[in-house]
Amino acid sequence: MRKIEQVITPEPVVEGAGVRLKRSIGTKRLNYLDPFLLFDDFTSPNPADYVAGFPLHPHRGIETVTYILRGEVRHKDTLGNSGSIGAGDLQWMTAGRGILHEEMPQDGPGGIAGFQLWVNLPAKLKMTPPRYQDVRSGQIPVIRKENGTEIRVITGCVGKTTGPVKGIAADPVYLDVLVPAGGSFALPVEKGHSAFVYVFEGEVLFPGAEPVRAPALAVLGDGDRVEMKAGGKPARFLLVSGKPLGEPIARYGPFVMNTREEIEQTLKEIREGTFIPS
Ligand code: MN
């Protein structure tokens, strides 16, 4: 059984052109949970916290996973891709050798709710061509248990249900789980894979541990199974796991490579205008 190894209280961070968000991975406290490089929660009822957005910026060597629960994020890149991610939608973007894109959360009366996760790419795929997997809300299967628990399977398998995001090197599982007040939840999780639970509504009780109250990220120790209960209110959380790459990392902002030299090379391409081949 996996136990809680560490509970991270998200840190306030200002990112992009002035977006106020809460970061749980990619900080001094937890720099890297191999293969996960960053986890941001940009939920806010107040558009002033996020409308500045993330104007044109590059990525290389990673995947960025954007999941929206409320509101809308418009995006476009210099390769000609553009679109909108709305409530319940997800975009799994493999930046590979490089993209230059903008991500703009839209002004709206309900504010916005959503997350961005960065997943590392192994050395052999860092320079792979960029790829998007855009998933609409209706394509995400929902498992409904007898006790009222709902599991949205974004990637990975739960029983016979497989999520729509495919072909990711880290063999990730990404689930959005709602457990009713007092309800129990248990699931196998691949042994040896890194795993975390990000609680964003209510509280979650792990056996023998203090309640994990939203917003908080619980890093799980190794094991082949998780078991938990919701507190006195419904609990909603992401359960994410992935295979550690076990490779050296050199990170510099939106670029994550294996060596300093590869970062220097990337910065040189940005300076010289050759980052995106024409
Ligand atoms: Mn980005």
Side-chain angles (χ1 to χ4, degrees), residues 30-55:
L30 180 59
N31 180 51
Y32 186 37
L33 180 64
D34 188 4
F36 306 114
L37 292 152
L38 177 138
F39 183 80
D40 283 347
D41 177 346
F42 49 83
T43 299
S44 170
N46 180 7
D49 284 342
Y50 63 80
V51 286
F54 307 90

Side-chain angles (χ1 to χ4, degrees), residues 40-207:
D40 283 347
D41 177 346
F42 49 83
T43 299
S44 170
N46 180 7
D49 284 342
Y50 63 80
V51 286
F54 307 90
L56 201 64
H57 62 276
H59 290 287
R60 173 176 278 177
I62 61 169
E63 307 188 270
T64 69
V65 180
T66 309
Y67 183 39
I68 305 295
L69 297 175
R70 187 170 69 246
E72 181 192 1
V73 174
R74 290 193 192 149
H75 67 93
K76 64 179 174 203
D77 72 22
T78 55
L79 299 168
N81 303 293
S82 68
S84 166
I85 315 168
D89 300 342
L90 175 130
Q91 179 186 71
W92 199 294
M93 185 192 77
T94 305
R97 70 181 172 223
I99 63 128
L100 267 168
H101 75 164
E102 61 171 49
E103 299 159 285
M104 305 303 283
Q106 299 296 300
D107 197 349
I112 201 156
F115 314 102
Q116 189 166 85
L117 173 72
W118 289 9
V119 185
N120 203 2
L121 284 168
K124 64 173 193 242
L125 290 175
K126 284 201 176 288
M127 296 298 275
T128 196
R131 174 172 74 142
Y132 288 88
Q133 294 190 63
D134 279 308
V135 179
R136 295 294 164 204
S137 166
Q139 296 169 263
I140 299 173
V142 186
I143 299 170
R144 292 187 166 85
K145 301 274 196 189
E146 265 176 24
N147 75 350
T149 294
E150 292 180 7
I151 309 170
R152 286 173 171 74
V153 186
I154 289 157
T155 187
C157 291
V158 175
K160 289 180 182 133
T161 305
T162 304
V165 174
K166 301 276 165 64
I168 304 297
D171 192 18
V173 172
Y174 189 122
L175 310 175
D176 170 1
V177 183
L178 169 71
V179 181
S184 299
F185 175 82
L187 201 73
V189 176
E190 187 77 25
K191 196 168 162 46
H193 284 200
S194 300
F196 68 85
V197 169
Y198 183 73
V199 183
F200 59 94
E201 281 177 28
E203 61 179 31
V204 167
L205 309 158
F206 284 81

Side-chain angles (χ1 to χ4, degrees), residues 247-261:
E247 294 180 357
I249 62 166
R251 68 193 285 174
Y252 184 82
F255 311 121
V256 186
M257 304 302 287
N258 297 105
T259 66
R260 281 326 296 178
E261 291 70 29

